[in-house]
Amino acid sequence: MNKTHWDESGLFQAILDKCPVGIAVIDYEGLYLTVNPAYCDIYGYTKSEMLNHSFTMIFPAEAKQSVLERHQKFLAEGIRLGGEWPVLHHDGQQMTVFSESVTFYPDKGLPARLVYVQNITERKKAQEQMRIAAAVFEASQEAIVVTDGENNIISVNPAFSILTGWSLEEVKGHNPREFKSGRHQRSFYIEMWQSLMNTGQWMGEVWDRHKNGTEFLKELSISVIKDPDGNVINYVGMFSDITLRKKQEELIWQQANYDAVTGLPNRHLFQSKLEQAALHASRTSHLMALMLIDLDQFKSVNDSMGHRAGDELLGCVAMRLLKCAPGADCIARLGGDEFAIIISDINEPSACTGIAHNILKELEASFAINGETMFVSASIGISIYPTDTENLEDLFKNADQAMYAVKNSGRKSFRYYSRALHDAIHARLRMIRNLRKALEENQFEVYYQPIVSLKTGHITRMEALVRWIHPTQGIISPDIFIPLAEDTGLIVPIGNWIANQAIKQLSYWRKKYNPELKMAINLSPVQLRSQEFDDISWIQTLQREGFHSGAITIEITEGLLLNSETRVNHNLKMMHQAGIQIAIDDFGTGYSSLAYLRKFNIDFLKIDRSFVEDLQGVGYELCTAIIAMAHSLGLGVIAEGVETEEQKKLLIELGCDYIQGYLYSKPLPVAEIEKLLILPMHDNHSV
Ligand SMILES: Nc1nc2c(ncn2[C@@H]2O[C@H](COP(=O)(O)O[C@H]3[C@@H](O)[C@H](n4cnc5c(=O)[nH]c(N)nc54)O[C@@H]3COP(=O)(O)O)[C@@H](O)[C@H]2O)c(=O)[nH]1
């Protein structure tokens, strides 16, 4: 291009028009004298919108006055006016510009200001982001490692050095694979790289090695950085050490799913295993069995030996269960003394019979706990999915019902759920409801059976025996309802009611017929173990009646004394101190021990009816031995179930003290029994 084609002003105008830097001339009043296209572009105005308008238009309202003053001061004093300014684009967006100004005299008149401006908004933002990124990199709690396209480390942040022990100088140029712990398979890293190549990122947990050699688990995310052409230029890895968190999570999971006492899965984990097993059974059309195992009378172990011994026993039981059902899907402790087993893939319902037998047999062997030998047995209930039910809640209920049926029929056995069992259980529940009603509606009546002295032939005492006079079913035997009352705890209020009735009756009879008459009252083991057992009110009633020592005898069973429990011991001691005598009922049928007889201040032994019945056979030797032993310990002996003169004769020969039985009288209601008491003393034995 030939420069002679340009005049000077045309040349300058062309320069102004093409110049990428914004240029403006502002007069003393602050009005734009000229602006070039780049200047207009920066602020988003047209030239005509700017010319002859105040340059303060590009400043926020609150700054307009001060920038005009600064402008005029600059022109008057020639101070420096350059730097970065926050300004406004036409559309209202905030921007940052860099400007420099020089004084300029366009018409040799008032000075004007020549301004050249660059929009540095984006650069400032980028700088700010860089500053933040650098601060984050430095201050991050997460370790950050940046590698080049060859995956060699170019930078690490301070958190990296803290977490790994390695400084930047030590790792620069190295490949992060050098931190490998060796815990992961090759396939793990292949998958990681595949994900990085395909998706540009990877996240996961990696075991690496610390500088000090220890392994740690890190939660790592890697991002791939590419240039505009798609070439990998960096990998950025960010991680934190989650070894401790993982351990805590595992511990929490362990605690949430496993039983601390036995180490077996707990109810929570068991439930999900049961759901899985049911799903599997439905898919494969196989059967699945749920076995519920409840230890028999485990409570007495806890009560007599303490919870630590109880826990130890549970641990040993768990080990034995594992041995008995090695192929089980799950063996769990559901709580207390209740265990459960899931057995999958069975072809017929009876497939669990063998396992149930094994468990019962395995538990038969003694346990050595705290230097003491202990025995436990179990009651097992089994229900089959989906034969019995397809509902897991019902499956549980079924197995539970089967297990309780075992408990109610003597424990230490197993039973499969059946429809008949279901009906029987419902009948039982009905009876329990009726029993509660009976207590509320006073449907009980105390019958009395005389106990006769073999020395005098007189009725010396009565045994109080309860009857349930049901409004429609007539008299219901205590053999039927006492076990139910014991199971439900109703025996406590029923027993208290009986005792109070009997004490009041004795008081009346003593005044009316015989001041020496005594009363025997049956006490259930459940009563004596119960928290609610009201021994104090008993004693108060006795004291109020003015009974002397020995007026009342309680009849208890031998089994009660076997595992001595604090509460039972306390209650028996209280009664003994209050002058109540203690008789062992059905003596000879349980675990008799001389030591117990001494320890618990027993006063009488009642020879069981079965021995009296068999007095012509082995019963004779047994009765001989019991009477001799009782007398040697200073105890009185009462023979139960005496029905014949022959039995009475033999018992007299053996030196028995008292007899009770149909020979004299069946248990009778008050009005009937009074007919016996009304007879003259010397005659009342001849009834
Ligand atoms: N906790 C409580 N238990 C009680 C109470 N009342 C009774 N019972 C217990 O219920 C069982 C059955 O009692 P029952 O049907 O009253 O039977 C008693 C007698 O009727 C029966 N007996 C007495 N003499 C004879 C006889 O010559 N032949 C014969 N076949 N039966 C006879 O024995 C039962 C008395 O038993 P015992 O208590 O062992 O002395 C029974 O276990 C009762 O204990 C109660 O109030 N509380």
Side-chain angles (χ1 to χ4, degrees), residues 4-55:
T4 54
H5 290 154
W6 297 88
D7 62 12
E8 201 173 342
S9 67
L11 179 62
F12 282 130
Q13 190 57 51
I15 291 168
L16 270 181
D17 289 348
K18 296 291 174 199
C19 181
V21 176
I23 297 172
V25 177
I26 304 167
D27 72 7
Y28 185 78
E29 298 304 325
L31 302 178
Y32 284 119
L33 293 179
T34 187
V35 288
N36 75 342
Y39 192 91
C40 292
D41 272 359
I42 289 171
Y43 294 106
Y45 291 94
T46 61
K47 192 171 180 174
S48 60
E49 284 171 330
M50 299 194 102
L51 286 183
N52 293 319
H53 286 88
S54 173
F55 83 102

Side-chain angles (χ1 to χ4, degrees), residues 445-447 449-451 463-467 476-483 486 491 494-495 498-499 520-525 527 555 557 584-587 606-609 612-613 638-644 647 660-668:
E445 188 174 337
V446 183
Y447 277 33
Q449 186 177 32
I451 297 171
E463 180 176 355
L465 294 158
V466 70
R467 298 290 180 264
I476 300 179
S477 160
D479 270 335
I480 294 172
F481 71 84
I482 292 285
E486 288 181 333
I491 191 67
I494 294 175
I498 296 165
I521 300 167
N522 286 283
L523 277 202
S524 150
Q527 272 175 281
E555 295 191 7
T557 48
I584 303 291
D585 212 352
D586 311 327
F587 188 79
K606 288 189 81 174
I607 301 176
D608 189 62
R609 194 163 71 222
V612 174
E613 242 171 51
I638 304 165
E640 291 185 89
V642 180
E643 294 185 359
T644 64
Q647 289 165 344
Q660 173 184 2
Y662 294 172
L663 177 66
Y664 284 92
S665 168
K666 289 192 168 183
L668 294 171

Side-chain angles (χ1 to χ4, degrees), residues 145-214:
V145 53
V146 183
T147 63
D148 61 17
E150 257 68 63
N151 204 22
N152 294 318
I153 294 173
I154 51 177
S155 185
V156 296
N157 71 343
F160 175 94
S161 301
I162 293 168
L163 294 190
T164 65
W166 298 105
S167 68
L168 174 62
E169 294 68 41
E170 288 169 318
V171 294
K172 205 165 184 171
H174 290 257
N175 191 303
R177 82 167 72 90
E178 292 173 29
F179 309 130
K180 264 200 318 202
S181 66
R183 279 205 194 199
H184 302 283
Q185 306 277 324
R186 216 173 139 250
S187 57
F188 174 84
Y189 296 102
I190 291 174
E191 272 174 37
M192 175 196 281
W193 280 104
Q194 268 168 357
S195 166
L196 283 173
M197 292 306 108
N198 296 338
T199 67
Q201 51 194 9
W202 181 87
M203 278 176 80
E205 293 175 1
V206 185
W207 280 99
D208 267 359
R209 200 175 286 284
H210 190 276
K211 185 181 175 184
N212 65 16
T214 58

